[in-house]
Amino acid sequence: MKNDFNDVQNLDSLLENFLQEAPIEDQDFSYRVMQSLPTPSRWSWMVDVLPSFLLSAILFCGWHYHKIVVQSFFMYRAEFYGWLRDQVPSFSISMSYGTLAGLAALVFFIVMDKVTGEIHSK
Amino acid sequence: MSTDTELIARVLIEDDQQAFETLVKKYQSPLRNFFRKMCGGDENLADDLAQETFLKVYRGLGQYNGQAQFLTWLFAVAKNVFYESLRRQDQFSELEDVDDEGRESGHDLNMDLSKCMMKLSPDERLVLTLSYMEGLSQTEVAELVEIPLGTVKTHALRAKEKLKNYLIAYQSRSL
């Protein structure tokens, strides 16, 4: 049968019929796609656990050896503050240990978050 | 049944591959049909490109902002994969070259249409396929392909005009 391709409506319906085909149903394709997905590294669980593990280790050691830690800190405190005073004359010695500990924890979390984030994004 | 948004959230938050498989099963048919039309009916090449698209979607799912329908976003990724494959290798020129030889094997109208589609430029083919296959408006096609609306209209008009001429030529030769 001859088609009148000059007829715009005829061409439109031809294109619709041609382009709107029956759905392709086969499970092999989805299986193939799933097989090609990147699998998580066997060590990826370590990345999730590492920050908590390190923090726990620090807290554990700090609790058990706090005397040594505190003594060491006091021992070097004067020297440290002296050095700090030389660097920043307006620095107040009244800065509490809590603030220092808080700042250290903050830096620790920021660094760990950045490190683990970068590892995850790879 | 979970919505696309729920499935995507499960993939992103829990890295739930079953949820992604559900998305693949749901959208594999329109995507593979799209690539088959874009590749002149080459099923193997079309499936390779569809697989590559799903892989890119899996890796870049975090970039889906939920503003457009998932299928529309999927086609936007597919369009990029298609153009990348065009740049990567000149496979499609081979397909275009075989049309006159292959014509002897049969004069099925769909086959003729498929060969004529391959004579269109990739942009024209893309605009026609998205418009007719997915029933997207020209505005939606313009957003998806990231070209001005006027260019989409020009591509559609020019493509139909070319197709008409090719089909008339084909029909006159086959009679």
Side-chain angles (χ1 to χ4, degrees):
Chain A
M1 196 180 92
K2 191 174 177 181
N3 283 288
D4 182 10
F5 298 121
N6 280 311
D7 180 356
V8 176
Q9 280 187 332
N10 191 18
L11 186 64
D12 278 343
S13 63
L14 266 178
L15 278 170
E16 272 172 26
N17 288 336
F18 171 65
L19 291 169
Q20 292 177 354
E21 279 204 345
I24 307 167
E25 300 289 350
D26 77 79
Q27 302 303 315
D28 288 349
F29 179 77
S30 60
Y31 176 76
R32 180 178 146 185
V33 170
M34 295 314 291
Q35 289 301 304
S36 69
L37 293 185
T39 49
S41 158
R42 60 189 293 203
W43 301 111
S44 63
W45 61 272
M46 277 189 77
V47 175
D48 298 328
V49 169
L50 202 63
S52 316
F53 175 77
L54 282 176
L55 188 64
S56 307
I58 290 166
L59 289 175
F60 179 81
C61 293
W63 177 254
H64 277 273
Y65 302 104
H66 67 279
K67 278 188 181 169
I68 301 170
V69 171
V70 169
Q71 278 170 0
S72 310
F73 183 76
F74 273 98
M75 210 180 289
Y76 290 105
R77 186 185 59 169
E79 201 180 324
F80 171 69
Y81 281 157
W83 172 81
L84 208 58
R85 260 200 304 273
D86 291 343
Q87 305 303 314
V88 190
S90 60
F91 179 76
S92 166
I93 296 176
S94 65
M95 181 179 268
S96 68
Y97 300 145
T99 314
L100 282 173
L103 280 172
L106 189 67
V107 170
F108 174 77
F109 277 115
I110 289 170
V111 170
M112 286 316 292
D113 186 57
K114 194 165 171 52
V115 169
T116 53
E118 276 176 7
I119 292 170
H120 273 299
S121 68
K122 279 179 184 168
Chain B
M1 191 165 161
S2 306
T3 63
D4 289 351
T5 316
E6 285 167 356
L7 292 168
I8 292 163
R10 274 166 52 194
V11 177
L12 287 175
I13 297 165
E14 301 161 29
D15 198 17
D16 183 346
Q17 294 209 342
Q18 273 196 327
F20 189 72
E21 191 173 5
T22 311
L23 284 171
V24 172
K25 282 178 180 166
K26 189 172 173 184
Y27 292 111
Q28 53 105 15
S29 179
L31 192 67
R32 289 164 78 192
N33 262 330
F34 166 76
F35 277 120
R36 283 182 189 188
K37 299 305 173 202
M38 296 303 290
C39 305
D42 185 335
E43 294 183 7
N44 291 330
L45 180 60
D47 282 359
D48 284 348
L49 294 181
Q51 183 180 353
E52 197 180 324
T53 304
F54 277 121
L55 201 60
K56 276 188 187 289
V57 163
Y58 181 75
R59 286 185 176 141
L61 205 55
Q63 291 162 18
Y64 173 60
N65 55 19
Q67 284 179 343
Q69 282 190 344
F70 181 68
L71 185 65
T72 313
W73 186 69
L74 188 68
F75 275 119
V77 179
K79 178 255 314 179
N80 291 335
V81 169
F82 173 68
Y83 281 123
E84 272 170 32
S85 77
L86 279 183
R87 277 193 293 270
R88 238 182 358 237
Q89 45 197 315
D90 211 12
Q91 297 154 321
F92 297 93
S93 61
E94 285 173 30
L95 288 166
E96 283 175 37
D97 293 342
V98 297
D99 61 354
D100 280 334
E101 297 158 29
R103 214 173 67 80
E104 303 304 324
S105 57
H107 299 298
D108 174 55
L109 186 59
N110 274 353
M111 272 180 69
D112 289 349
L113 258 171
S114 183
K115 285 165 192 164
C116 292
M117 286 282 284
M118 290 308 291
K119 284 178 173 260
L120 303 176
S121 75
D123 288 338
E124 290 166 349
R125 214 180 316 150
L126 187 69
V127 167
L128 268 197
T129 307
L130 288 172
S131 306
Y132 283 92
M133 201 177 94
E134 286 310 314
L136 298 178
S137 69
Q138 289 187 326
T139 313
E140 287 171 315
V141 173
E143 281 171 17
L144 200 151
V145 184
E146 294 168 336
I147 52 174
L149 178 62
T151 313
V152 170
K153 288 180 178 172
T154 311
H155 280 327
L157 267 175
R158 199 176 292 158
K160 284 208 271 190
E161 191 62 31
K162 278 185 188 175
L163 268 184
K164 190 180 77 185
N165 293 334
Y166 290 144
L167 284 167
I168 290 170
Y170 258 84
Q171 201 172 55
S172 62
R173 272 194 278 170
S174 62
L175 285 175

